Amino acid sequence: MGLTSEMFFAGLVIAALVASVLALWLWPRVARASVPSWLGRIGLLVAVQVTVLGVLLVAVNNSFGFYSSWQDLLGAPVGKQVMDTSDAKGGRPSGIKVGGVVQAGLKGGREQAGEVESVHFQGLASGLSSDGFVYLPPQYFQKAHQDERFPVVVALTGYPGVASNLITGLKIPRTVSDDIAAKKIRPVIYVMVRPTVVPGRDTNCTDVPGGPQALTFFNQDLPYAVASRFRTTEGPGSWAAVGDSTGGYCALKFAMTNPARYGVAAGLSADYGAAQDSQTGDLYAGNAQYKREQDLNWRMAHMPPAPVSLLVSSSKKGEGNYKQTLQLAADAKWPTKVTKLIRDEGGHNFKTWRAEYPDVIRWIDQQLPPTPSAASGANSPSGQPHS
């Protein structure tokens, strides 16, 4: 029974109710001054507290998506995955497997509102893997646009997070679909993933010396896999990235380290550096210079500026990154452009990010380069994109 399944949560609720009723019914019977009675009362209290606490913890996890499975919670390695990673031409590996269609609250069929598909990525260069979702706009399925290619935005959750939060909590596909229908933004593909590509470890999208190559996964493997399967634009800087918290740090990092791919990035309540702790392990192998280069504030101030457009958000009250956000913007030098989205008050939570995402989605559309014509977009790695 899955950690996030409705049946498991319902079972916990029933167990908590049963434990509470039993405690009320049995309490008079164990209200005696004897060791067995004391033990009985302790046992009843423990049963009620454990079951009620279980309900609360699972409810919080289901709302915020900290862990998606028991394996994820326990930090166990994922099992062996059998995948078809060949594209449609020449049997070359693509590193992606597309699953079924996911309900995302879109208004209409796929030719009116688009479609969300579940996907699994297997990194060909990094060896890492991740599950996620891809939103395809309605034009992707319309005959009049069958030869067109579309810009891509990679959206990331925080850590640990689950990719489904981007659908259920932040409602990205619904917002994008509505904006496309209202002609507020152009048709665009959204790839929704989480930054966790190593179970139980917060790599902060870092290529760890002698360890997981998480940045390689997002800078090389994921773009190659998406472009090999879907009709994507592939011009310089034609992709964007956006994320919250750790996902925001990763999004900004993609653009600052790989501007040839990611010309636009937005970090909502982003971290600007990765503090090493029990969740991260040793990310830098004792290399002080490498550690500095992973700090986005240091990178902005000391390394050659990249030709990218960045958006950073914070709040004067309720966020811990306010000063670093202002400093990063102040240190930006052309051709790097930084836009600040500052709220008077706002916490590090879904409520704040839900309020920010509609504006950020439209800002990303404004910053992405013009979409090339269908005739000029014939540079997919596979030559046979998904249709």
Side-chain angles (χ1 to χ4, degrees), residues 191-210:
V191 178
M192 294 164 281
V193 290
R194 61 178 187 165
T196 307
V197 289
V198 180
R201 185 173 186 185
D202 183 7
T203 62
N204 280 270
C205 301
T206 302
D207 280 347
V208 180

Side-chain angles (χ1 to χ4, degrees), residues 83-369:
M83 294 180 56
D84 174 13
T85 56
S86 297
D87 63 26
K89 185 176 182 180
R92 292 178 296 174
S94 64
I96 187 172
K97 182 177 181 179
V98 178
V101 176
V102 176
Q103 296 300 318
L106 305 182
K107 300 176 183 177
R110 67 180 191 174
E111 292 191 15
Q112 293 77 42
E115 183 174 274
V116 176
E117 299 180 351
S118 63
V119 295
H120 179 84
F121 298 106
Q122 181 64 55
L124 302 179
S126 68
L128 302 175
S129 62
S130 179
D131 293 322
F133 304 93
V134 173
Y135 166 78
L136 300 171
Q139 289 79 4
Y140 197 91
F141 306 100
Q142 297 170 0
K143 189 174 182 179
H145 302 276
Q146 62 183 355
D147 295 323
E148 292 185 15
R149 297 177 180 272
F150 302 88
V152 178
V153 180
V154 177
L156 301 104
T157 66
Y159 174 85
V162 288
S164 59
N165 279 345
L166 299 167
I167 299 174
T168 59
L170 297 177
K171 303 187 185 303
I172 289 177
R174 175 70 176 270
T175 303
V176 172
S177 177
D178 289 349
D179 279 357
I180 291 172
K183 300 188 184 303
K184 294 179 180 178
I185 64 173
R186 79 192 84 174
V188 62
I189 295 172
Y190 264 75
V191 178
M192 294 164 281
V193 290
R194 61 178 187 165
T196 307
V197 289
V198 180
R201 185 173 186 185
D202 183 7
T203 62
N204 280 270
C205 301
T206 302
D207 280 347
V208 180
Q213 302 296 287
L215 187 60
T216 295
F217 175 84
F218 289 106
N219 271 351
Q220 297 183 34
D221 292 335
L222 185 145
Y224 178 85
V226 172
S228 71
R229 178 71 177 183
F230 302 103
R231 302 197 310 270
T232 65
T233 56
E234 295 299 310
S238 62
W239 284 36
V242 59
D244 57 77
S245 193
T246 299
Y249 166 76
C250 290
L252 297 172
K253 190 176 186 178
F254 299 164
M256 295 175 76
T257 60
N258 188 15
R261 169 68 63 178
Y262 298 97
V264 181
L268 311 185
S269 306
D271 303 321
Y272 296 112
Q276 297 191 83
D277 53 34
S278 60
Q279 295 293 313
T280 66
D282 184 1
L283 295 177
Y284 313 115
N287 188 323
Q289 178 59 26
Y290 187 61
K291 181 177 181 179
R292 282 192 291 268
E293 291 174 0
Q294 309 311 307
D295 184 288
L296 302 187
N297 282 109
W298 187 93
R299 192 178 191 95
M300 184 68 79
H302 296 92
M303 297 193 72
V308 295
S309 295
L310 309 178
L311 181 146
V312 288
S313 82
S314 189
S315 301
K316 296 177 182 178
K317 182 179 180 181
E319 286 281 12
N321 73 338
Y322 179 61
K323 291 183 179 179
Q324 294 98 316
T325 297
L326 298 183
Q327 189 63 54
L328 184 126
D331 288 337
K333 298 177 288 293
W334 189 88
T336 299
K337 297 183 292 184
V338 177
T339 298
K340 302 189 298 293
L341 178 59
I342 305 297
R343 299 162 62 94
D344 289 333
E345 187 171 351
H348 197 83
N349 53 48
F350 275 34
K351 180 180 179 181
T352 297
W353 302 326
R354 273 195 298 267
E356 293 175 344
Y357 250 106
D359 289 337
V360 172
I361 286 170
R362 293 165 198 168
W363 176 87
I364 289 173
D365 177 72
Q366 294 166 3
Q367 304 305 312
L368 282 169

